[in-house]
Each structure stands twice: as structure tokens, then as C-alpha cells.
């Protein structure tokens, strides 16, 4: 990893942050950022040529291998995104000259709403 950041918090102590940039040196300081509650949070900035370590399966293998004798639960926060195509079941409206008694419908469309084209599901 290019940069390793470890944030740790004990119930009876302040929250600390440890950071190292792959050069053998590191810094430790009191973390004034968002509280993690209790426990340890590890963040890695992975090098471009080490993308295999970002895959969920590979991460689980590494954590399992190196935490066999740890008596505390280890959780891996995973976000998954999947694009699902949604079919349009509505028919195209007929031309106005076909039925003059029908009213023209005007519908407001939110430009930020992309659910008509694709839905993203986070698991």
C-alpha cells in the first residue's frame, strides 16, 4: 500500500490515528475526526499494480489467514454495486391528431432520477 492509516479507540481513552507511507517511518496523533466508537479501523491506499488486493475474496483470505487466533470479531465492510436494466413497459403515446378529445399529459421529470434507465443496488 502507498499509505496505511489505522484509527483506534478504546472506551476509556482518546481516539488515535497511526499513519505510515511505506518508508519505514510513521506518525501517531490524537484523532480529532469522526469517532469510530470503539475498535480499530484500517484504511489502505492501494498501489495501482496491486489491484488484486481490493477484491473481496482476496481480502477475506488474507484476514482469515492472519487472524486465526484472534478472539475478537473482525468485520469487513463491503459495498457492492450492480447495474440492473429496467425495461419500459409503457407504450408510446399516440399522436394528438388521432384522438382530439384526449388531453395532453405533461409530466415533470427529475433529471437526477436515473431509475428509469438503470437501478443501482448497494448490498
Amino acid at each position: 500500500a502507498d499509505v496505511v492509516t489505522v484509527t483506534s479507540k478504546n472506551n476509556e481513552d482518546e481516539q488515535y490515528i497511526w499513519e505510515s507511507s511505506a518508508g519505514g517511518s510513521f506518525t501517531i496523533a490524537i484523532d480529532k475526526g469522526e469517532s469510530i466508537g470503539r475498535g480499530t479501523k484500517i484504511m489502505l491506499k492501494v498501489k495501482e499494480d496491486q489491484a488484486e488486493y481490493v477484491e473481496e475474496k482476496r481480502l477475506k483470505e488474507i484476514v482469515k489467514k492472519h487472524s486465526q487466533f484472534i478472539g475478537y470479531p473482525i468485520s469487513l465492510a463491503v459495498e457492492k454495486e450492480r447495474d440492473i436494466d429496467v425495461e419500459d413497459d409503457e407504450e408510446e403515446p399516440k399522436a394528438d391528431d388521432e384522438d382530439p378529445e384526449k388531453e395532453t399529459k405533461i409530466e415533470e421529470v427529475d433529471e437526477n432520477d436515473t431509475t428509469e434507465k438503470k437501478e443501482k443496488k448497494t448490498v
Side-chain angles (χ1 to χ4, degrees), residues 42-59:
I42 302 171
M43 291 179 28
L44 305 171
K45 293 184 182 174
V46 180
K47 295 178 182 180
E48 289 182 28
D49 62 337
Q50 300 296 317
E52 72 176 277
Y53 295 103
V54 178
E55 297 173 12
E56 179 184 354
K57 182 179 178 182
R58 183 74 167 123
L59 279 173

Side-chain angles (χ1 to χ4, degrees), residues 53-69:
Y53 295 103
V54 178
E55 297 173 12
E56 179 184 354
K57 182 179 178 182
R58 183 74 167 123
L59 279 173
K60 285 183 177 181
E61 288 173 0
I62 293 168
V63 169
K64 184 177 180 179
K65 178 180 177 181
H66 295 286
S67 64
Q68 291 178 356
F69 304 105

Side-chain angles (χ1 to χ4, degrees), residues 92-104:
E92 291 292 322
K94 295 181 181 180
D96 288 322
D97 54 327
E98 288 182 21
D99 193 355
E101 292 183 13
K102 285 190 174 180
E103 293 181 14
T104 305

